[in-house]
Amino acid sequence: APSLPPRSREIQEEELRRFASRVAALLQAPNPGPEAVDCLQRLHLTIAATKYPRKLDGKFVELLKTMLCSSKSPEQIQVLCAAILREMSPCNDLTLSCDEIQDTKLLSLVSSILLAQGNEADVSAVGQHVVRVLERKLPEGQNARSLLPVLSNVISVLPESFTEEQTDAINKKLAEWLRYASIQQGVGQTSGGFFSKSRSRQPSPVTEVDGAIATDFFTVLSVGQHYTQDQWLNVQAFSMLRNWLLCYGGKGTKLPNSGDRSGLEKPGMAMVSTAAPSGHLLPPKEHLQEKAFEYCQRLIEQSSRRPLKKDDGDLQKACLIEAVKIMDIICKQNSSYVSRAVSFLKILHGRICGDATYARVLLPIAQFFLNHSKMAAVDCSGIYKHLFSDIPAQLFHNPSLAFEFLQFCKDNSQLFTEASSIFRQSFPNLFKFLAWNSPPLISEFVDLLPFLLDAGTAVEIFHLLLDLPCLTAALDIQLRSSALPTSEKSSCNPAMKPATCLEAFHHPLYKNPFEYLLRTKSAPEDAPERLIPLRQLLGSLASSPRVVQCAETVPVLLELFFRVVVEFADKGLINQLVVLLLQRSDQLYEIPAFKDDVYRVLSSQLVVLCKLHPALIVELSSEILEFSGTVSNIQDKEAIFIHLVWAIGEFLSVSCDKRCTGEQITRFFETLEVVLFEITQLRPVASTPHYPPCAITALMVTLAKLAARSQDLIPRVSIFLSKMKTFVQNPAVTSVYCKEDLEEILTRATELMNLLKMPSLAHFVFTPPVGVASTGFQREVTDTLPSALGIVTRLLQPAPGFVPG
């Protein structure tokens, strides 16, 4: 029932103890029946439903162990006892050993508990005993099926459990199970009847997925109504083969008591046939490699058949992926297989590359050629180009493929450091995966982005990040357009303006912008300005949940972008990014929350760039003056405006750039003076706008700094500051600003006027010598000026009771 798990979590220790006593009584009955099974199931649920370990009485734990190991216990009760003991592991009250167990099913259950206990000695003992059982002939009625999962778990937990002799024994067994399973179907359970016995003795051969009778050895892709035990072992052996080869197939495998052996691969071994000389047998490891390679070849051949059932088609693709990965491992461990594998996989790629349903198979194929194409001396550029150009563009909406594709890129990140490579040129395609599948892929992209960035790609990636929500909207239109009938696609009238985004996708007016945004390879020379009309067109999709989710990932990636770029950016690139930062603040997709977040990141990074290269204030004076002189930017781009104004006051000085002149300081001063006058001039109450108080104080501080460096300007700024008292007391102003903000503005104006009365001190405070730490920006624009301002103010104010003269 749905209420069972919550109820199980609420059971208290005392209630659990009483219930365990009831279960114990049922288990100690001569023949535990259905009630005992039901109670064990409930007990297992109770223990499994909580995150913290449940405590059971030591005697009850011993009873569970006894029932588990008793040959008289029904199998269902044994399974439930084992499940409960597993859930309780690690358990100090439990002592178990598998050394004397011969029954394979019981050995499997006990081994699962010992593995859950987590003791290395127990894990090793399990592995040793399982191998010993597998080496000898099993009694009638028993089979190794239940032991292979245990063996696989031991490999994962403690691969060094086996000696070299034991790995050789398992190598032989795996090769046998893979290659020599029966090709006759198993016999099913009969329902009785006059003819059932005679019919059950007529096994038929297994078939291929297309229904044809199999003429080669059995594999996981062979089809039958029923399967024999050796066929099940074949399937299980294949499922654990890759992990086994990774652990024990290489030259450097560390095994107890292992020494040098003949027949191992030597460095620089030539690519020759792997067949053993006549009359000689291959060593066990090489024998398994040979049989595994043949098995993978057989799977690839079987995958070319047209399946009768959809599930068999899915299984074909999964087996292809596994087969290619196993062949890759074998070729790494034994280079003599490379030439055979290369020719085989070239044919496979040619057969499946045009079928989008096989896209996931292309990744391990590409990985194989990345690992071995140099040794095989083959050109694989076509394989890589198809993978990076066509697959992301066509299948960006496949979430599992997107994840695996980015994992592939992360695993081969070194490929993106070659500027002329196919991988590097195709990076815009990778952003389609992120645009459609964010935020699930944000973690993968955070790892990958640093490898995509250098001086040649930084600008284009900056634009890509800012346009990511727009790309999501464009992909949505592309996907919907592909589903339209051909007649609707061709019915677009070029002479008429499109009424919808779908119509615009095929309209000549928007063809170039869509093609640029959806490009498959880098285009650093193209102008992003062409996207301006497209952003407006796609505004109707701004509220789409997928677009909004994508927009939320952009600030994170922007911060990472700048953290990486500042590590290698030269002065030219820094200047270019600052110009683009100011320009793109006007060219963002219309999502209010997205724009606010982007402005926050860009403003903070603007300060970082200015600190790295202070001379940019002089070098980019035209662009900076244009932005800071636009009053509307105070409202629309508050954060960027305030940080830029602060940067002007902080870095426009001779100490930061010897090229800084008095004329340049005056130009900046006059521009900012006009802005401050515009936002503080007195108007009728009904038309008084509200500007951010921190923008007003930032402008006052910067004007004071500039005046301190060009002292002819001090009278002008002092007069301006003296008028701030009138400004803050005007009824029109007090109606739109709060009292605390007005007090802050007046206090700052007073402090600045007092400091400017001592020009030399003002110059020292506002332009400290190199090496003297300047005050933090946030304190300066939102709280108070450096303590020097307060000190000067107090010095210039007469003390109480003081009478001059």
Side-chain angles (χ1 to χ4, degrees):
S3 61
L4 273 178
R7 173 73 182 95
S8 300
R9 296 188 192 103
E10 294 166 4
I11 292 177
Q12 301 301 312
E13 293 302 320
E14 179 59 28
E15 186 180 355
L16 179 61
R17 186 188 62 80
R18 291 197 303 269
F19 184 66
S21 298
R22 179 186 167 196
V23 176
L26 292 170
L27 291 177
Q28 290 170 331
N31 295 304
E35 187 179 1
V37 172
D38 180 63
C39 287
L40 282 172
Q41 289 174 333
R42 291 171 57 192
L43 180 60
H44 175 252
L45 180 61
T46 301
I47 295 174
T50 55
K51 294 180 181 178
Y52 57 90
R54 292 282 201 176
K55 182 71 175 176
L56 292 176
D57 182 72
K59 291 182 179 179
F60 183 72
V61 171
E62 190 66 25
L63 176 61
L64 291 176
K65 186 182 82 169
T66 301
M67 296 300 296
L68 167 65
C69 298
S70 172
S71 58
K72 298 179 180 179
S73 297
E75 184 178 350
Q76 192 173 11
I77 286 182
Q78 286 181 310
V79 170
L80 286 168
C81 288
I84 293 169
L85 292 174
R86 267 199 314 272
E87 282 296 336
M88 293 178 59
S89 297
C91 175
N92 295 329
D93 295 331
L94 182 61
T95 55
L96 264 178
S97 173
C98 63
D99 292 342
E100 304 301 323
I101 301 176
Q102 302 303 318
D103 182 83
T104 55
K105 288 186 178 179
L106 179 57
L107 178 57
S108 173
L109 293 174
V110 172
S111 298
S112 68
I113 299 168
L114 291 172
L115 291 174
Q117 286 284 90
N119 184 287
E120 284 195 4
D122 289 340
V123 174
S124 181
V126 167
Q128 301 280 329
H129 188 58
V130 167
V131 173
R132 287 195 296 271
V133 173
L134 290 174
E135 283 183 297
R136 64 173 180 261
K137 186 174 180 179
L138 296 175
E140 185 71 26
Q142 295 194 35
N143 62 77
R145 278 182 61 188
S146 55
L147 296 184
L148 286 194
V150 177
L151 186 65
S152 182
N153 287 333
V154 172
I155 296 168
S156 301
V157 175
L158 197 67
E160 60 271 21
S161 299
F162 306 115
T163 65
E164 188 171 7
E165 291 72 21
Q166 289 172 325
T167 59
D168 282 345
I170 300 173
N171 281 330
K172 292 176 183 177
K173 284 289 184 182
L174 289 173
E176 178 187 339
W177 292 329
L178 286 172
R179 186 62 179 82
Y180 301 110
S182 170
I183 59 171
Q184 297 295 318
Q185 296 189 34
V187 179
Q189 295 291 331
T190 60
S191 57
F194 182 78
F195 297 102
S196 60
K197 186 174 182 180
S198 59
R199 288 181 179 176
S200 66
R201 293 179 179 176
Q202 304 294 325
S204 56
V206 295
T207 64
E208 304 289 359
V209 292
D210 60 358
I213 294 176
T215 57
D216 209 336
F217 62 89
F218 182 92
T219 73
V220 67
L221 285 178
S222 300
V223 179
Q225 291 294 320
H226 305 283
Y227 298 99
T228 62
Q229 293 299 330
D230 62 344
Q231 289 169 350
W232 282 116
L233 287 170
N234 177 284
V235 173
Q236 287 181 305
F238 177 67
S239 71
M240 64 177 285
L241 179 60
R242 178 156 57 105
N243 197 20
W244 177 265
L245 290 173
L246 285 171
C247 288
Y248 306 108
K251 294 179 296 182
T253 306
K254 295 182 179 179
L255 299 171
N257 306 318
S258 62
D260 292 336
R261 292 168 50 201
S262 61
L264 292 180
E265 176 192 359
K266 302 295 190 298
M269 180 183 288
M271 293 192 298
V272 296
S273 172
T274 57
S278 177
H280 294 274
L281 294 176
L282 287 170
K285 184 177 73 173
E286 285 72 14
H287 181 59
L288 174 61
Q289 288 175 344
E290 182 181 50
K291 298 308 175 187
F293 194 87
E294 291 174 358
Y295 194 100
C296 293
Q297 285 183 303
R298 168 99 166 103
L299 287 177
I300 293 173
E301 291 168 352
Q302 287 178 296
S303 71
S304 65
R305 296 176 177 270
R306 187 182 297 276
L308 300 177
K309 299 179 181 177
K310 181 183 181 300
D311 289 347
D312 287 338
D314 295 337
L315 182 61
Q316 280 179 314
K317 297 176 181 67
C319 288
L320 272 180
I321 293 172
E322 189 72 4
V324 175
K325 288 181 177 180
I326 290 172
M327 292 175 86
D328 187 17
I329 294 168
I330 293 172
C331 289
K332 286 179 183 177
Q333 296 170 352
N334 191 336
S335 59
S336 59
Y337 286 95
V338 170
S339 59
R340 289 164 59 189
V342 164
S343 59
F344 218 75
L345 294 182
K346 275 270 191 179
I347 295 170
L348 173 63
H349 182 271
R351 176 164 61 83
I352 67 173
C353 64
D355 188 343
T357 63
Y358 282 88
R360 292 178 60 214
V361 184
L362 299 177
L363 293 172
I365 291 176
Q367 186 66 66
F368 175 90
F369 283 108
L370 284 172
N371 293 337
H372 305 289
S373 61
K374 188 175 291 187
M375 173 178 284
V378 294
D379 178 18
C380 303
S381 56
I383 292 174
Y384 307 145
K385 184 176 181 180
H386 172 260
L387 180 66
F388 276 82
S389 298
D390 299 343
I391 299 304
Q394 297 169 8
L395 300 171
F396 59 86
H397 50 85
N398 184 323
S400 60
L401 174 65
F403 176 77
E404 291 176 16
F405 202 106
L406 291 185
Q407 284 291 325
F408 171 85
C409 293
K410 283 171 57 179
D411 293 341
N412 299 279
S413 53
Q414 75 282 355
L415 299 173
F416 295 93
T417 59
E418 302 171 16
S420 61
S421 71
I422 295 170
F423 308 97
R424 189 52 168 268
Q425 294 170 2
S426 303
F427 71 81
N429 240 359
L430 300 181
F431 281 85
K432 295 175 183 176
F433 285 130
L434 177 65
W436 193 261
N437 300 283
S438 57
L441 293 182
I442 184 69
S443 176
E444 281 65 36
F445 228 87
V446 164
D447 293 336
L448 182 61
L449 185 60
F451 295 99
L452 303 179
L453 283 167
D454 64 13
T457 62
V459 169
E460 189 172 0
I461 289 178
F462 179 67
H463 286 298
L464 275 169
L465 289 174
L466 293 179
D467 289 327
L468 206 59
C470 194
L471 175 59
T472 306
L475 291 171
D476 183 274
I477 297 300
Q478 180 188 9
L479 201 60
R480 284 194 278 159
S481 174
S482 64
L484 290 176
T486 307
S487 58
E488 291 189 32
K489 295 178 185 179
S490 59
S491 62
C492 173
N493 186 350
M496 296 182 62
K497 188 175 180 180
T500 66
C501 294
L502 273 175
E503 290 180 12
F505 189 76
H506 300 284
H507 197 281
L509 182 64
Y510 292 97
K511 180 181 178 181
N512 287 340
F514 268 114
E515 287 180 350
Y516 176 72
L517 186 58
L518 297 171
R519 64 193 183 278
T520 59
K521 61 181 181 179
S522 175
E525 304 302 322
D526 288 356
E529 290 77 14
R530 65 171 72 179
L531 294 182
I532 294 175
L534 193 58
R535 292 190 199 100
Q536 298 169 352
L537 172 75
L538 296 174
S540 59
L541 295 174
S543 60
S544 162
R546 191 179 296 276
V547 173
V548 172
Q549 277 195 328
C550 175
E552 291 171 352
T553 67
V554 172
V556 176
L557 293 171
L558 269 181
E559 290 178 344
L560 174 62
F561 168 87
F562 282 105
R563 282 201 305 272
V564 175
V565 167
V566 296
E567 296 295 325
F568 61 77
D570 58 13
K571 294 177 182 179
L573 180 57
I574 290 175
N575 283 2
Q576 193 176 5
L577 287 174
V578 170
V579 172
L580 290 174
L581 186 153
L582 299 178
Q583 290 176 348
R584 285 304 309 264
S585 65
D586 270 333
Q587 302 170 20
L588 295 176
Y589 197 44
E590 283 298 328
I591 304 176
F594 165 70
K595 294 176 73 172
D596 290 344
D597 288 339
V598 169
Y599 290 157
R600 172 182 53 78
V601 175
L602 294 183
S603 61
S604 63
Q605 297 306 320
L606 175 63
V607 173
V608 173
L609 296 175
C610 289
K611 286 181 177 179
L612 281 174
H613 181 42
L616 69 83
I617 302 296
V618 172
E619 294 169 355
L620 304 177
S621 58
S622 299
E623 292 85 351
I624 293 174
L625 282 169
E626 180 182 356
F627 187 93
S628 59
T630 304
V631 175
S632 60
N633 286 338
I634 303 177
Q635 297 281 29
D636 300 338
K637 311 175 191 73
E638 176 186 339
I640 297 177
F641 179 88
I642 293 172
H643 283 71
L644 183 61
V645 168
W646 174 84
I648 293 169
E650 189 73 6
F651 301 116
L652 185 63
S653 67
V654 177
S655 61
C656 292
D657 188 348
K658 299 298 183 185
R659 296 169 295 178
C660 180
T661 64
E663 290 78 6
Q664 287 173 323
I665 292 176
T666 301
R667 282 180 63 207
F668 276 91
F669 180 91
E670 291 175 346
T671 299
L672 299 182
E673 183 185 37
V674 170
V675 173
L676 184 58
F677 173 78
E678 177 68 21
I679 66 177
T680 59
Q681 65 174 313
L682 300 178
R683 300 178 178 87
V685 176
S687 61
T688 301
H690 179 278
Y691 290 97
C694 55
I696 296 175
T697 55
L699 284 164
M700 292 191 301
V701 171
T702 295
L703 287 173
K705 288 181 176 181
L706 298 180
R709 294 165 196 159
S710 182
Q711 297 188 0
D712 293 344
L713 301 172
I714 288 179
R716 288 172 63 174
V717 74
S718 296
I719 293 173
F720 204 112
L721 292 172
S722 66
K723 295 179 180 180
M724 295 308 295
K725 184 174 182 179
T726 306
F727 170 75
V728 301
Q729 292 176 344
N730 187 278
V733 174
T734 57
S735 65
V736 293
Y737 290 88
C738 69
K739 181 180 178 182
E740 290 76 12
D741 289 341
L742 294 175
E743 288 177 352
E744 173 64 23
I745 292 171
L746 184 58
T747 301
R748 184 60 53 85
T750 304
E751 290 176 341
L752 292 170
M753 280 192 300
N754 287 332
L755 187 57
L756 290 173
K757 290 176 182 178
M758 294 178 284
S760 297
L761 179 59
H763 186 271
F764 176 83
V765 171
F766 288 134
T767 314
V770 177
V772 177
S774 61
T775 56
F777 168 66
Q778 290 299 329
R779 291 199 311 266
E780 188 166 328
V781 297
T782 58
D783 298 327
T784 62
L785 275 171
S787 57
L789 291 178
I791 295 172
V792 171
T793 300
R794 289 192 293 275
L795 287 174
L796 293 177
Q797 289 176 347
F802 173 74
V803 179

